[in-house]
């Protein structure tokens, strides 16, 4: 994915300031929050971000565990390009970060105007999503096994 995005950001017809912008964030800064709107795709040029979920332990207690860390060359925020729904997680900077923030509507329009390059970008985005889905599935299965064992349900299976 990182090569396709790096190439995109260098193209004369995908201009900084018009189609995308570069932004520096200090460590600890929120890039966006769970439930926020937005159609931007974020590309990490430097630094590390952490994706945080929200877990309700009961009516009065919530925690925001880190789901994964992403580093240089990775993208995030891509889900909104496909469904337009609010952000599904919070993303915070673990270290100081430089992000390329790509306007999602401009990206989609560019991909439609340039179908060959657009197909390569789309394939790279889908590959990223599939890898994350597989990783999430494995985490879910691990947590399910832990829960079954913790409650001794596994003894009855």
């Amino acid at each position: 994915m990182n090569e396709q995005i790096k190439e995109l950001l260098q193209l004369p017809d995908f201009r900084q300031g018009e189609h995308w912008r570069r932004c520096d964030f200090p460590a600890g800064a929120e890039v966006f929050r769970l439930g926020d709107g937005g159609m931007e795709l974020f590309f990490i040029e430097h630094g590390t971000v952490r994706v945080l979920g929200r877990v309700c332990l009961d009516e009065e207690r919530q925690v925001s565990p880190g789901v994964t860390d992403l580093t240089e060359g990775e993208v995030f925020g891509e889900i909104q390009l496909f469904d337009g729904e609010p952000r599904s997680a919070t993303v915070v900077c673990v270290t100081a970060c430089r992000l390329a923030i790509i306007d999602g509507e401009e990206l989609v329009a560019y991909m439609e105007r340039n179908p060959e390059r657009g197909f390569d970008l789309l394939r790279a985005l889908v590959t990223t999503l599939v890898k994350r889905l597989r990783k999430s599935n494995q985490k879910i299965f691990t947590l399910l096994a832990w829960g079954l064992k913790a409650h001794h349900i596994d003894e009855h299976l």
Side-chain angles (χ1 to χ4, degrees):
M1 177 85 249
N2 64 352
E3 290 307 314
Q4 289 88 352
I5 296 293
K6 282 182 182 179
E7 288 176 17
L8 178 69
L9 299 180
Q10 300 296 320
L11 294 173
D13 57 342
F14 199 79
R15 291 177 290 286
Q16 184 176 357
E18 185 178 340
H19 300 98
W20 67 279
R21 67 187 193 280
R22 187 171 276 125
C23 194
D24 292 319
F25 291 84
E30 282 186 352
V31 179
F32 57 74
R33 294 183 68 76
L34 173 75
D36 285 353
M39 282 284 293
E40 298 90 6
L41 175 71
F42 298 82
F43 175 72
I44 305 170
E45 292 185 314
H46 301 290
T48 300
V49 300
R50 180 164 293 145
V51 180
L52 304 173
R54 183 183 301 157
V55 177
C56 296
L57 299 175
D58 54 41
E59 290 182 19
E60 298 163 4
R61 295 184 305 159
Q62 294 182 4
V63 294
S64 294
V67 176
T68 192
D69 287 356
L70 304 173
T71 60
E72 185 174 318
E74 295 189 88
V75 297
F76 61 95
E78 73 283 348
I79 295 173
Q80 283 67 25
L81 296 176
F82 296 98
D83 69 3
E85 294 292 318
R87 301 288 182 187
S88 60
T90 297
V91 175
V92 298
C93 296
V94 175
T95 65
C97 293
R98 173 167 284 169
L99 304 178
I101 304 171
I102 301 168
D103 182 291
E105 291 176 6
E106 291 292 338
L107 177 61
V108 170
Y110 178 84
M111 291 167 57
E112 289 173 353
R113 287 190 312 270
N114 301 278
E116 278 190 38
R117 189 174 303 270
F119 178 76
D120 289 341
L121 283 165
L122 183 61
R123 181 172 36 202
L125 285 170
V126 169
T127 299
T128 297
L129 286 168
V130 167
K131 286 179 182 176
R132 290 182 181 161
L133 178 60
R134 288 184 186 280
K135 189 174 181 179
S136 295
N137 283 347
Q138 190 56 51
K139 285 182 179 184
I140 290 168
F141 299 150
T142 300
L143 287 170
L144 181 59
W146 173 83
L148 292 171
K149 290 176 184 178
H151 295 282
H152 306 289
I153 296 170
D154 62 321
E155 297 170 5
H156 304 288
L157 299 178

